[in-house]
Amino acid sequence: MKIAIDARGVNWYRGTGIGTYTDKVLRYLLRMDSKNYYHIYWSGENYEEFQFSNTNIIMASKKHHRFFEQNYFPADLKDNNIDIYHIPQNGIGMCENIECKKIATMHDLIPYIMPETVGRGYLLKFLKDVPKVIELSDALITVSEWSKQDILKYFPIDKNKIFVTPLAADDIYKPLDKEKCKYFLSKQYNINKSFILYIGGFSPRKNVKSLITAFAKVYKDLGKDYNLVIVGATRDQGQYLSEFSSNLEFSSKIIFTGFAPENHLPILYNACDAFVYPSLYEGFGLPPLEAMNCGTPVITSNLTSIPEVVGDAGILINPYNEYELMEALKKLLNNEKLQNEYREKGLIRAQDFSWNKTAEKTLEVYKKIYNLNPVI
């Protein structure tokens, strides 16, 4: 097969779920598949890492992205006799003039389901483009059974057109020496006490405010002098939450680290006593899986796709019920035996997910779509 992949998102969306997905799927496909040819559209730096004997890197300017999407890519795909074109970023940029088979990865339908939680510009573009993407695509890839059902709810298409390829945590998320991690955080972030951790963005759907208020109410009932550590760039919603926390009685116990580079995240996961992720909606929910990979006990939501990821390896709560979150914090943090049980369960559960499996399933989709009506 001759496969083209729009990999511009590796740099354009670096640090986001879409950027990570595009990067990892492409890397692992190229590691495992030397038989098929990969035609890679790229923008920015670090393309050398994707140069193999069976790849060709085509540079595309971000400034003129519409020209490339509407004119250059369709002509280039035809000139190179490409069989399948895969667009990982929700199909955004797909053009109706493309003649080969088309696959889009639709990560979730959050702009349809919780439009108030996304920016206006992205919302309008998503609502405008996605119906066309779904109509034009020969197949859709999504990251959970929940997201598949959401797509079918809003778009009455053949369910056999949608393929689920779960995500995975990167190899850097693994058990580390807890004491060394605590020492690093003491020097780097001035975190010197046992702590509860949140990582995962500050959109209203992440429900971080409920975590803050639950912690403030339950703090006195915990057996240790805990801090709540919240990781992420404190702008917009993050700034609002920081200001909200400063007015609480136990504000000194809540630490906003600001942005933390990815290589610090495994250290944070390993050093904490529990990772808490009370999100209201996730297409997949990668942070709980990252935590489980590190052997960290997890409290998270019983909604949307999250139970698919966590299974029985974490404490699942209704994120709309603050009391449930408070009780889960007390139950886990006041019981060292229970913490150890969930550490072990999480490590076992995490083994079900790998980027190698994600890439294998993606290649299976390519083969299935190609063989439906192979290009001669």
Side-chain angles (χ1 to χ4, degrees), residues 15-307:
T16 70
I18 289 176
T20 299
Y21 167 83
T22 306
D23 180 270
K24 298 302 181 185
V25 168
L26 183 55
R27 283 181 191 275
Y28 281 82
L29 277 171
L30 297 180
R31 285 182 193 177
M32 73 169 60
D33 183 19
S34 58
K35 178 181 177 182
N36 296 298
Y37 164 80
Y38 288 86
H39 199 72
I40 302 167
Y41 296 127
W42 193 264
S43 180
E45 303 174 338
N46 303 320
Y47 60 88
E48 300 91 349
E49 300 170 27
F50 298 88
Q51 287 182 322
F52 292 83
S53 59
N54 62 330
T55 66
N56 185 30
I57 312 288
I58 299 92
M59 300 301 293
S61 163
K62 186 173 185 179
K63 183 177 180 181
H64 303 291
H65 67 95
R66 285 190 60 80
F67 163 77
F68 279 95
E69 292 164 1
Q70 301 297 317
N71 302 100
Y72 183 85
F73 291 168
D76 185 63
L77 291 165
K78 184 175 182 180
D79 289 347
N80 286 279
N81 297 312
I82 299 298
D83 299 309
I84 290 172
Y85 180 38
H86 181 191
I87 305 179
Q89 65 275 12
N90 294 321
I92 301 300
M94 183 177 289
C95 173
E96 58 191 16
N97 297 328
I98 294 170
E99 297 180 7
C100 66
K101 296 293 181 69
K102 297 171 286 296
I103 297 173
T105 298
M106 194 65 57
H107 295 263
D108 56 60
L109 290 184
I110 289 169
Y112 277 83
I113 296 156
M114 303 184 77
E116 70 281 3
T117 68
V118 299
R120 178 171 171 77
Y122 178 70
L123 173 64
L124 294 176
K125 184 171 181 58
F126 194 95
L127 297 180
K128 174 176 173 288
D129 289 356
V130 164
K132 181 179 73 172
V133 168
I134 290 177
E135 180 185 351
L136 292 174
S137 296
D138 295 280
L140 297 173
I141 291 172
T142 194
V143 296
S144 65
E145 288 294 337
W146 185 273
S147 284
K148 177 176 179 176
Q149 295 308 314
D150 273 350
I151 293 168
L152 291 170
K153 188 186 305 178
Y154 283 86
F155 300 94
I157 61 176
D158 182 355
K159 66 180 181 180
N160 296 315
K161 182 180 174 177
I162 308 173
F163 300 86
V164 176
T165 64
L167 305 182
D170 191 87
D171 292 343
I172 65 171
Y173 297 101
K174 59 187 177 183
L176 302 171
D177 185 294
K178 196 175 183 76
E179 293 308 313
K180 289 182 180 178
C181 291
K182 287 183 176 181
Y183 179 79
F184 175 86
L185 296 179
S186 175
K187 298 298 182 185
Q188 189 74 30
Y189 294 99
N190 199 30
I191 298 170
N192 298 303
K193 296 179 180 176
S194 298
F195 67 96
I196 304 156
L197 179 66
Y198 171 81
I199 298 172
F202 298 125
S203 163
R205 71 180 171 86
K206 299 294 186 177
N207 201 29
V208 182
K209 187 176 180 180
S210 288
L211 171 58
I212 293 168
T213 55
F215 172 74
K217 291 176 181 178
V218 82
Y219 170 78
K220 290 181 178 178
D221 298 322
L222 302 179
K224 289 187 197 174
D225 185 11
Y226 276 104
N227 283 332
L228 171 61
V229 173
I230 298 174
V231 179
T234 47
R235 58 176 184 271
D236 302 329
Q237 279 293 316
Q239 181 64 33
Y240 161 74
L241 291 168
S242 179
E243 292 171 359
F244 170 77
S245 301
S246 68
N247 294 318
L248 297 175
E249 182 182 353
F250 296 107
S251 60
S252 63
K253 305 297 181 184
I254 303 172
I255 300 172
F256 284 80
T257 66
F259 171 79
E262 187 178 17
N263 62 329
H264 290 187
L265 302 186
I267 299 171
L268 285 154
Y269 282 126
N270 273 274
C272 70
D273 281 8
F275 177 72
V276 187
Y277 195 74
S279 177
L280 303 176
Y281 189 99
E282 294 292 329
F284 182 81
L286 201 49
L289 182 57
E290 292 171 347
M292 291 192 299
N293 267 268
C294 295
T296 301
V298 169
I299 298 172
T300 189
S301 302
N302 63 2
L303 300 180
T304 66
S305 65
I306 296 173

